[in-house]
Amino acid sequence: MKQMLEYVHGNSLIHRLNPLTKLIFAVVTCVACFIGSNHLFLLGILLFTIIIAGASGILGRAAGVYKALFILGLFLMLFQLLFTPQGRILFYILPGVPVTDIGLGFSSLLMLRMMAALAPLSLMLMLTPMNELLTAMTHNLKVPYRYAFAVVTALRFIPAFSREMDQIMQAQRSRGHETDTRNPIKKIRVIIPMCIPLLISSVRKVETMAISLETRGFCTGPRSCRKKLGFTLFDILAIILVMAALPVSIIIG
Amino acid sequence: MISIRNLSYRYNKKAPLVLDNISLEIGRGEFVALVGQNGAGKTTLLKQLNGLLKPSSGSVTINGLDTATVKTSELACHIGFLFQNPDHQIFCGTVYDEIRFGLVNTRRQQELIDGRIRRIAGLLGLEGMLDRNPFTLSKGERQRVALASVLALETEILVLDEPTTGQDYKECVEIMEIVKSLNQQGKTIIMVSHDMEVVVDYCERTIVLHNGRVLEDDDTGIVLRKTESLGMAGLEPPQIIQLAQRFGPLFQDVISPEDMARAIISCAVPGGVRA
């Protein structure tokens, strides 16, 4: 999961777009996915994100994201299927648990919506360096630096925590704790206590970071930024293209 | 006991080799130091030993068990592993539970456990802290708690990844003396260290890793005199050896202050050879 949020270095047209454009893309497609309740429309959005990933040369890394989203989506779909008894019964998945046409339609829509709404967010994070995102938020969107910094830091810490968790799991495995079991239920039970060292080390890390920020004059005055982020023609075209998704989603409904 | 054959490893298919065709045999009761720069592959090699990482090619066998097929949690009965950062290992509410954790995992008998915990806590100077929460202890104490929880398993092989970091000189000597006594009881010790003084004082055999290859592998005394290889791996021999090298060939066997004193006396006494 950790690669879902990590920036992948590149120099494609999409990498060079203004971070704000990419943020608009992520937010607008996400909103459109919740407005539009049409399988084909959602599938189209999903396909569109895959094309973007391909065009920016990160399809290999993005494939992992799509796979993870797909698995998550399947779970979501399965649960919806089991708990939607309305409609015409198509077949029985288990004795006494029917699968209906409404259930199938609704659950697949939910799965597609989840995938299509999350994929652009994850793509945006993979295609935008964090500090550029921070600049865009503070200088263009006028978000107070303190809050923008908190959001960006939270995102940046996720991969770090994920690596930390790997280390903890390895340490526990080496003293005979069966974190390498294949049984998923057993695995969850075994992993929960592992969260304690993660929590403690993250609190330690955050405390150190807070002190280190203060010693370097965090939020003591107005900030300057090294790189001015301008809008190019491509940015404007991209925003228009993305914005078009909104009316389409309303019309298709 | 430990047999590594043509081991190569890369983290993924496109990444460069981290370990490059390593072959090693480590016998029962050896005390081995693994040295090299950061990024030379030391920790990666250690993680291969208990199956946390599986070979990309070649094989690693521990007591006849192939690490590629046996789970790490099963290998834990044969090989104890101390991590660099004790905070990755510690998670129980008290020091007592922390030491107990591994014993329960490896299904030891309940009656034996309590005695063993107290003995090991005594060995590491933790007996007054058994009821304390490990997270309120100092870094050095936490390192010792982590070591205690590994020692509790009483495995034949102990793998220590920089056990003396964060310890003051006295604590460092205490830990190393414990490790030495375990070695004298017949345990096999493999240790990563950046401290050449510790290596020369305690380890019989030294392996120098450089860019994922074995650069040197011999008795510590011999390896630490190979200034050129050490320099290549970004290391320096301990000062006593550097000094001895400047005195010339008569001092070539000096690796400890005692040797140095003996060599000086033999040169200084009448009838002795002048350097």
Side-chain angles (χ1 to χ4, degrees), chain A residues 78-144:
Chain A
L78 193 70
F79 275 105
Q80 285 300 326
L81 262 185
L82 296 182
F83 298 112
T84 315
Q86 296 92 343
R88 193 165 52 84
I89 292 170
L90 297 175
F91 58 91
Y92 285 87
I93 197 165
L94 286 170
V97 185
V99 170
T100 64
D101 53 349
I102 294 180
L104 199 62
F106 181 65
S107 59
S108 55
L109 187 73
L110 209 64
M111 173 183 174
L112 277 175
R113 178 175 287 160
M114 199 272 303
M115 288 181 71
L118 287 184
L121 282 177
S122 149
L123 274 188
M124 187 268 290
L125 291 171
M126 288 168 85
L127 291 168
T128 320
M130 281 295 173
N131 51 352
E132 280 189 22
L133 195 63
L134 191 60
T135 314
M137 279 164 81
T138 50
H139 285 256
N140 303 42
L141 291 179
K142 305 287 174 213
V143 177

Side-chain angles (χ1 to χ4, degrees), chain B residues 176-244:
Chain B
M176 288 316 299
E177 287 298 326
I178 292 162
V179 175
K180 187 177 164 187
S181 72
L182 290 167
N183 176 244
Q184 282 162 352
Q185 289 162 27
K187 291 195 193 300
T188 310
I189 317 274
I190 300 155
M191 182 179 91
V192 162
S193 183
H194 284 294
D195 189 343
M196 289 301 132
E197 310 288 339
V198 169
V199 170
V200 75
D201 285 347
Y202 293 97
C203 307
E204 293 148 11
R205 174 176 166 189
T206 298
I207 298 169
V208 182
L209 274 188
H210 180 58
N211 287 341
R213 286 165 179 271
V214 174
L215 201 61
E216 295 290 342
D217 176 11
D218 213 325
D219 286 344
T220 300
I222 296 170
V223 170
L224 288 188
R225 274 194 287 271
K226 295 190 174 171
T227 324
E228 213 169 283
S229 297
L230 289 182
M232 222 166 111
L235 301 166
E236 259 189 0
Q239 286 186 337
I240 196 85
I241 292 180
Q242 291 184 39
L243 183 65

Side-chain angles (χ1 to χ4, degrees), chain A residues 164 167-182 193-194 196-197 200-201 204, chain B residues 47 50 52 71-73 76 79 81 83 87-91 98 101-102 105-107 135 142 149 153:
Chain A
E164 188 97 1
Q167 283 290 317
I168 292 167
M169 301 261 280
Q170 287 190 352
Q172 302 308 337
R173 216 179 300 163
S174 344
R175 51 178 190 163
H177 203 38
E178 268 186 90
T179 55
D180 42 5
T181 172
R182 287 251 169 90
M194 308 290 104
I196 300 167
I200 286 174
S201 70
R204 280 218 174 97
Chain B
K47 284 184 179 174
N50 72 342
L52 283 173
K71 281 202 288 190
T72 302
S73 49
I79 185 160
F81 197 111
F83 275 72
D87 294 343
H88 287 151
Q89 228 161 328
I90 294 172
F91 72 94
E98 193 60 47
F101 180 76
N105 283 334
T106 49
R107 297 175 187 85
F135 293 105
R142 292 205 301 275
S149 74
L153 294 175

Side-chain angles (χ1 to χ4, degrees), chain B residues 8-79:
Chain B
S8 292
Y9 180 74
R10 53 180 98 224
Y11 278 94
N12 61 53
K13 278 179 195 153
K14 285 177 196 158
L17 282 174
V18 190
L19 298 176
D20 189 357
N21 199 14
I22 289 181
S23 294
L24 288 171
E25 294 287 333
I26 295 172
R28 188 178 300 271
E30 283 199 65
F31 198 141
V32 184
L34 202 56
V35 299
Q37 277 165 312
N38 283 340
K42 304 185 297 289
T43 301
T44 312
L45 182 57
L46 290 191
K47 284 184 179 174
Q48 291 281 351
L49 295 179
N50 72 342
L52 283 173
L53 299 172
K54 309 284 184 193
S56 300
S57 67
S59 70
V60 180
T61 37
I62 307 291
N63 286 346
L65 297 169
D66 188 346
T67 60
T69 51
V70 182
K71 281 202 288 190
T72 302
S73 49
E74 287 167 30
L75 280 167
C77 305
H78 300 271
I79 185 160

